[in-house]
Amino acid sequence: DIQMTQSPSSLSASVGDRVTITCRASQGISNYLAWFQQKPGKAPKSLIYAASNLQSGVPSKFSGSGSGTDFTLTISSLQPEDFATYYCQQYNSYPWTFGQGTKVEIK
Amino acid sequence: EVQLVQSGAEVKKPGESLKISCKGSGYSFISHWIGWVRQKPGKGLEWIGIIHPGDSDTRYSPSFQGQVTISADKSISTAYLQWSSLKASDTAMYYCVYTSGDYWGQGALVTVSS
């Protein structure tokens, strides 16, 4: 199985901060990488697919980059509604696997 | 608009069987993979497996192979996740997912307790 490792596991940030979350794959996955946002008590929501493509309706403050084994999710200016847990997922090969999640909290 | 609507919450006893469902609409059900994801209370997301309703090609995570069965009935655009003998450790929220996660069902909470 491909292991997905996110860092950090949690972070505290202020409104307006630029936040970057990293996801590393244990082997190359080309650009078959998605990012999800999950708020408490809600289903995850897709933010980005194919490493850098924004899902329809997702604000442009979210951006993704990377290819191969190293990927990043950036939130350009953190807003109150962005406090949530973020997950990466590889879908290059079965079994598809998720990172352990990054919880973004208010400082 | 793609929608995935899951069956409701379930409370079961250890050893009982269960089949939960996920009805797809707003797209060609037989043309797109549909998967299942587990989330235990307070924990992260775990990928269970995926099925292509058109030909029933199914892939499982080794962690779940033999523990659950994924199926689909294309005549009613519905995918299923089933257990033959539930354990307390199966207590979790279960989500169905369109392809690689573009759309998610609302989730079905399964509680297994004696």
Side-chain angles (χ1 to χ4, degrees):
Chain A
D1 299 5
I2 297 175
Q3 308 303 315
M4 305 300 292
T5 304
Q6 288 181 232
S7 59
S9 296
S10 65
L11 65 89
S12 294
S14 300
V15 171
D17 283 354
R18 180 183 180 89
V19 167
T20 298
I21 299 168
T22 297
C23 180
R24 175 164 289 173
S26 60
Q27 63 191 76
I29 59 170
S30 184
N31 68 334
Y32 293 98
L33 191 283
W35 288 98
F36 303 97
Q37 176 194 64
Q38 188 179 32
K39 296 181 180 179
K42 300 292 187 183
K45 172 188 173 184
S46 177
L47 298 176
I48 287 170
Y49 65 96
S52 61
N53 293 274
L54 216 57
Q55 283 286 1
S56 175
V58 173
S60 59
K61 61 182 171 182
F62 292 97
S63 62
S65 65
S67 183
T69 60
D70 294 311
F71 302 86
T72 60
L73 172 70
T74 300
I75 309 172
S76 61
S77 177
L78 203 64
Q79 297 303 306
E81 64 270 19
D82 303 327
F83 291 94
T85 300
Y86 294 84
Y87 295 92
C88 62
Q89 181 206 48
Q90 68 81 19
Y91 53 101
N92 178 75
S93 60
Y94 295 119
W96 295 354
T97 44
F98 290 94
Q100 80 279 17
T102 295
K103 187 172 185 178
V104 177
E105 298 176 301
I106 302 172
K107 183 182 283 184
Chain B
E1 179 195 4
V2 173
Q3 281 198 315
L4 300 174
V5 178
Q6 298 185 231
S7 49
E10 301 273 2
V11 179
K12 292 289 190 178
K13 291 181 168 34
E16 291 185 332
S17 62
L18 176 64
K19 191 174 190 178
I20 61 175
S21 66
C22 171
K23 182 172 177 61
S25 62
Y27 69 100
S28 173
F29 184 77
I30 63 170
S31 300
H32 298 274
W33 293 83
I34 189 163
W36 289 93
V37 172
R38 182 175 80 176
Q39 187 169 38
K40 291 190 171 185
K43 302 297 184 183
L45 305 172
E46 300 173 272
W47 190 82
I48 298 171
I50 198 165
I51 188 167
H52 192 283
D55 60 8
S56 294
D57 186 8
T58 308
R59 313 294 175 94
Y60 292 93
S61 166
S63 300
F64 291 92
Q65 180 87 46
Q67 308 304 308
V68 297
T69 301
I70 294 171
S71 60
D73 184 340
K74 55 190 176 186
S75 69
I76 54 171
S77 301
T78 300
Y80 300 97
L81 179 66
Q82 69 180 89
W83 297 258
S84 58
S85 180
L86 286 160
K87 309 179 187 68
S89 58
D90 294 319
T91 295
M93 183 71 81
Y94 292 86
Y95 296 100
C96 60
V97 183
Y98 173 90
T99 63
S100 55
D102 294 355
Y103 300 94
W104 293 62
Q106 82 274 22
L109 180 62
V110 174
T111 303
V112 184
S113 174
S114 54

PDB file of all heavy atoms in Angstrom, chain A residues 8 10 12 18 28 33 37 48 56 58 61-62 64 86 92 98 100 105 107:
ATOM      1  N   PRO A   8       1.772  19.544   9.141  1.00  0.00           N
ATOM      2  CA  PRO A   8       1.762  18.949  10.477  1.00  0.00           C
ATOM      3  C   PRO A   8       0.465  18.184  10.718  1.00  0.00           C
ATOM      4  O   PRO A   8      -0.437  18.212   9.885  1.00  0.00           O
ATOM      5  CB  PRO A   8       1.847  20.186  11.376  1.00  0.00           C
ATOM      6  CG  PRO A   8       1.102  21.239  10.601  1.00  0.00           C
ATOM      7  CD  PRO A   8       1.434  20.973   9.148  1.00  0.00           C
ATOM      8  N   SER A  10      -1.453  18.957  13.255  1.00  0.00           N
ATOM      9  CA  SER A  10      -2.331  20.049  13.647  1.00  0.00           C
ATOM     10  C   SER A  10      -1.553  21.349  13.614  1.00  0.00           C
ATOM     11  O   SER A  10      -0.313  21.343  13.669  1.00  0.00           O
ATOM     12  CB  SER A  10      -2.918  19.818  15.038  1.00  0.00           C
ATOM     13  OG  SER A  10      -1.902  19.832  16.010  1.00  0.00           O
ATOM     14  N   SER A  12      -2.084  25.784  14.661  1.00  0.00           N
ATOM     15  CA  SER A  12      -2.882  26.917  15.128  1.00  0.00           C
ATOM     16  C   SER A  12      -2.531  28.123  14.278  1.00  0.00           C
ATOM     17  O   SER A  12      -1.331  28.414  14.088  1.00  0.00           O
ATOM     18  CB  SER A  12      -2.602  27.212  16.600  1.00  0.00           C
ATOM     19  OG  SER A  12      -3.028  26.158  17.416  1.00  0.00           O
ATOM     20  N   ARG A  18      -1.504  32.851   6.034  1.00  0.00           N
ATOM     21  CA  ARG A  18      -1.294  31.914   4.927  1.00  0.00           C
ATOM     22  C   ARG A  18      -0.890  30.581   5.549  1.00  0.00           C
ATOM     23  O   ARG A  18       0.013  30.534   6.384  1.00  0.00           O
ATOM     24  CB  ARG A  18      -0.199  32.431   4.011  1.00  0.00           C
ATOM     25  CG  ARG A  18       0.110  31.545   2.812  1.00  0.00           C
ATOM     26  CD  ARG A  18       1.273  32.141   2.017  1.00  0.00           C
ATOM     27  NE  ARG A  18       1.641  31.365   0.857  1.00  0.00           N
ATOM     28  CZ  ARG A  18       1.105  31.542  -0.342  1.00  0.00           C
ATOM     29  NH1 ARG A  18       0.182  32.468  -0.532  1.00  0.00           N
ATOM     30  NH2 ARG A  18       1.510  30.796  -1.368  1.00  0.00           N
ATOM     31  N   GLY A  28       5.934   7.205  -5.785  1.00  0.00           N
ATOM     32  CA  GLY A  28       5.390   8.163  -6.729  1.00  0.00           C
ATOM     33  C   GLY A  28       3.955   7.880  -7.133  1.00  0.00           C
ATOM     34  O   GLY A  28       3.593   6.727  -7.388  1.00  0.00           O
ATOM     35  N   LEU A  33      -3.747  12.939  -6.799  1.00  0.00           N
ATOM     36  CA  LEU A  33      -3.819  13.371  -5.413  1.00  0.00           C
ATOM     37  C   LEU A  33      -4.996  14.318  -5.252  1.00  0.00           C
ATOM     38  O   LEU A  33      -5.169  15.257  -6.048  1.00  0.00           O
ATOM     39  CB  LEU A  33      -2.508  14.069  -5.038  1.00  0.00           C
ATOM     40  CG  LEU A  33      -2.156  14.427  -3.580  1.00  0.00           C
ATOM     41  CD1 LEU A  33      -2.887  15.651  -3.093  1.00  0.00           C
ATOM     42  CD2 LEU A  33      -2.398  13.259  -2.628  1.00  0.00           C
ATOM     43  N   GLN A  37     -11.735  18.749   2.737  1.00  0.00           N
ATOM     44  CA  GLN A  37     -11.955  19.501   3.964  1.00  0.00           C
ATOM     45  C   GLN A  37     -13.113  18.851   4.715  1.00  0.00           C
ATOM     46  O   GLN A  37     -14.140  18.547   4.113  1.00  0.00           O
ATOM     47  CB  GLN A  37     -12.331  20.949   3.620  1.00  0.00           C
ATOM     48  CG  GLN A  37     -12.683  21.827   4.797  1.00  0.00           C
ATOM     49  CD  GLN A  37     -13.364  23.111   4.355  1.00  0.00           C
ATOM     50  OE1 GLN A  37     -14.459  23.110   3.800  1.00  0.00           O
ATOM     51  NE2 GLN A  37     -12.711  24.244   4.593  1.00  0.00           N
ATOM     52  N   ILE A  48      -9.732  19.866  -4.062  1.00  0.00           N
ATOM     53  CA  ILE A  48      -8.789  19.813  -5.170  1.00  0.00           C
ATOM     54  C   ILE A  48      -8.658  18.382  -5.675  1.00  0.00           C
ATOM     55  O   ILE A  48      -8.660  17.440  -4.875  1.00  0.00           O
ATOM     56  CB  ILE A  48      -7.417  20.359  -4.720  1.00  0.00           C
ATOM     57  CG1 ILE A  48      -7.506  21.882  -4.579  1.00  0.00           C
ATOM     58  CG2 ILE A  48      -6.288  19.961  -5.680  1.00  0.00           C
ATOM     59  CD1 ILE A  48      -6.309  22.527  -3.931  1.00  0.00           C
ATOM     60  N   SER A  56     -15.178  22.723  -8.723  1.00  0.00           N
ATOM     61  CA  SER A  56     -16.128  23.782  -9.021  1.00  0.00           C
ATOM     62  C   SER A  56     -16.734  24.333  -7.727  1.00  0.00           C
ATOM     63  O   SER A  56     -17.130  23.564  -6.842  1.00  0.00           O
ATOM     64  CB  SER A  56     -17.249  23.232  -9.912  1.00  0.00           C
ATOM     65  OG  SER A  56     -18.238  24.199 -10.118  1.00  0.00           O
ATOM     66  N   VAL A  58     -15.214  25.926  -5.343  1.00  0.00           N
ATOM     67  CA  VAL A  58     -14.256  26.092  -4.242  1.00  0.00           C
ATOM     68  C   VAL A  58     -13.517  27.421  -4.425  1.00  0.00           C
ATOM     69  O   VAL A  58     -13.022  27.708  -5.521  1.00  0.00           O
ATOM     70  CB  VAL A  58     -13.261  24.922  -4.207  1.00  0.00           C
ATOM     71  CG1 VAL A  58     -12.159  25.162  -3.173  1.00  0.00           C
ATOM     72  CG2 VAL A  58     -13.997  23.620  -3.898  1.00  0.00           C
ATOM     73  N   LYS A  61      -8.844  30.938  -2.885  1.00  0.00           N
ATOM     74  CA  LYS A  61      -7.851  31.018  -1.809  1.00  0.00           C
ATOM     75  C   LYS A  61      -7.201  29.663  -1.545  1.00  0.00           C
ATOM     76  O   LYS A  61      -6.135  29.584  -0.940  1.00  0.00           O
ATOM     77  CB  LYS A  61      -8.472  31.554  -0.516  1.00  0.00           C
ATOM     78  CG  LYS A  61      -9.592  30.685   0.039  1.00  0.00           C
ATOM     79  CD  LYS A  61     -10.179  31.319   1.291  1.00  0.00           C
ATOM     80  CE  LYS A  61     -11.452  30.580   1.722  1.00  0.00           C
ATOM     81  NZ  LYS A  61     -12.069  31.196   2.918  1.00  0.00           N
ATOM     82  N   PHE A  62      -7.859  28.582  -2.001  1.00  0.00           N
ATOM     83  CA  PHE A  62      -7.281  27.253  -1.894  1.00  0.00           C
ATOM     84  C   PHE A  62      -6.471  26.960  -3.160  1.00  0.00           C
ATOM     85  O   PHE A  62      -6.931  27.229  -4.269  1.00  0.00           O
ATOM     86  CB  PHE A  62      -8.366  26.187  -1.743  1.00  0.00           C
ATOM     87  CG  PHE A  62      -9.104  26.247  -0.448  1.00  0.00           C
ATOM     88  CD1 PHE A  62     -10.336  26.898  -0.360  1.00  0.00           C
ATOM     89  CD2 PHE A  62      -8.591  25.658   0.699  1.00  0.00           C
ATOM     90  CE1 PHE A  62     -11.029  26.960   0.833  1.00  0.00           C
ATOM     91  CE2 PHE A  62      -9.279  25.713   1.904  1.00  0.00           C
ATOM     92  CZ  PHE A  62     -10.504  26.375   1.971  1.00  0.00           C
ATOM     93  N   GLY A  64      -3.438  23.946  -4.750  1.00  0.00           N
ATOM     94  CA  GLY A  64      -2.662  22.733  -4.559  1.00  0.00           C
ATOM     95  C   GLY A  64      -1.533  22.660  -5.557  1.00  0.00           C
ATOM     96  O   GLY A  64      -1.629  23.196  -6.660  1.00  0.00           O
ATOM     97  N   TYR A  86      -8.166  18.750   7.308  1.00  0.00           N
ATOM     98  CA  TYR A  86      -7.883  18.559   5.894  1.00  0.00           C
ATOM     99  C   TYR A  86      -7.179  17.214   5.674  1.00  0.00           C
ATOM    100  O   TYR A  86      -6.285  16.844   6.439  1.00  0.00           O
ATOM    101  CB  TYR A  86      -7.009  19.712   5.382  1.00  0.00           C
ATOM    102  CG  TYR A  86      -7.750  21.024   5.420  1.00  0.00           C
ATOM    103  CD1 TYR A  86      -7.805  21.783   6.583  1.00  0.00           C
ATOM    104  CD2 TYR A  86      -8.436  21.490   4.300  1.00  0.00           C
ATOM    105  CE1 TYR A  86      -8.516  22.971   6.640  1.00  0.00           C
ATOM    106  CE2 TYR A  86      -9.153  22.679   4.334  1.00  0.00           C
ATOM    107  CZ  TYR A  86      -9.190  23.411   5.515  1.00  0.00           C
ATOM    108  OH  TYR A  86      -9.901  24.579   5.565  1.00  0.00           O
ATOM    109  N   ASN A  92      -3.775   6.866  -7.193  1.00  0.00           N
ATOM    110  CA  ASN A  92      -2.925   6.350  -8.268  1.00  0.00           C
ATOM    111  C   ASN A  92      -3.012   4.838  -8.381  1.00  0.00           C
ATOM    112  O   ASN A  92      -2.994   4.282  -9.480  1.00  0.00           O
ATOM    113  CB  ASN A  92      -1.476   6.756  -7.988  1.00  0.00           C
ATOM    114  CG  ASN A  92      -0.516   6.211  -9.029  1.00  0.00           C
ATOM    115  OD1 ASN A  92      -0.447   6.703 -10.151  1.00  0.00           O
ATOM    116  ND2 ASN A  92       0.241   5.179  -8.655  1.00  0.00           N
ATOM    117  N   PHE A  98      -5.591   7.492   2.426  1.00  0.00           N
ATOM    118  CA  PHE A  98      -5.678   8.852   2.931  1.00  0.00           C
ATOM    119  C   PHE A  98      -4.491   9.166   3.822  1.00  0.00           C
ATOM    120  O   PHE A  98      -3.922   8.268   4.467  1.00  0.00           O
ATOM    121  CB  PHE A  98      -6.946   9.032   3.780  1.00  0.00           C
ATOM    122  CG  PHE A  98      -8.231   9.006   3.021  1.00  0.00           C
ATOM    123  CD1 PHE A  98      -8.941   7.821   2.895  1.00  0.00           C
ATOM    124  CD2 PHE A  98      -8.753  10.160   2.456  1.00  0.00           C
ATOM    125  CE1 PHE A  98     -10.142   7.787   2.208  1.00  0.00           C
ATOM    126  CE2 PHE A  98      -9.953  10.139   1.763  1.00  0.00           C
ATOM    127  CZ  PHE A  98     -10.657   8.949   1.635  1.00  0.00           C
ATOM    128  N   GLN A 100      -3.316  11.119   7.361  1.00  0.00           N
ATOM    129  CA  GLN A 100      -3.926  11.019   8.686  1.00  0.00           C
ATOM    130  C   GLN A 100      -4.732  12.257   9.072  1.00  0.00           C
ATOM    131  O   GLN A 100      -5.426  12.252  10.086  1.00  0.00           O
ATOM    132  CB  GLN A 100      -2.854  10.727   9.751  1.00  0.00           C
ATOM    133  CG  GLN A 100      -2.063  11.956  10.213  1.00  0.00           C
ATOM    134  CD  GLN A 100      -0.940  12.354   9.286  1.00  0.00           C
ATOM    135  OE1 GLN A 100      -0.878  11.937   8.125  1.00  0.00           O
ATOM    136  NE2 GLN A 100      -0.037  13.196   9.785  1.00  0.00           N
ATOM    137  N   GLU A 105      -6.671  24.862  13.583  1.00  0.00           N
ATOM    138  CA  GLU A 105      -7.389  25.464  14.700  1.00  0.00           C
ATOM    139  C   GLU A 105      -7.112  26.953  14.798  1.00  0.00           C
ATOM    140  O   GLU A 105      -6.115  27.446  14.253  1.00  0.00           O
ATOM    141  CB  GLU A 105      -6.982  24.764  16.004  1.00  0.00           C
ATOM    142  CG  GLU A 105      -7.333  23.285  16.016  1.00  0.00           C
ATOM    143  CD  GLU A 105      -6.838  22.573  17.252  1.00  0.00           C
ATOM    144  OE1 GLU A 105      -5.622  22.576  17.503  1.00  0.00           O
ATOM    145  OE2 GLU A 105      -7.680  21.987  17.960  1.00  0.00           O
ATOM    146  N   LYS A 107      -5.880  30.280  16.460  1.00  0.00           N
ATOM    147  CA  LYS A 107      -4.894  30.701  17.458  1.00  0.00           C
ATOM    148  C   LYS A 107      -5.537  31.743  18.379  1.00  0.00           C
ATOM    149  O   LYS A 107      -6.198  32.671  17.902  1.00  0.00           O
ATOM    150  CB  LYS A 107      -3.664  31.297  16.781  1.00  0.00           C
ATOM    151  CG  LYS A 107      -2.557  31.685  17.739  1.00  0.00           C
ATOM    152  CD  LYS A 107      -1.391  32.307  17.020  1.00  0.00           C
ATOM    153  CE  LYS A 107      -0.554  31.272  16.325  1.00  0.00           C
ATOM    154  NZ  LYS A 107       0.660  31.861  15.694  1.00  0.00           N
TER     155      LYS A 107
END
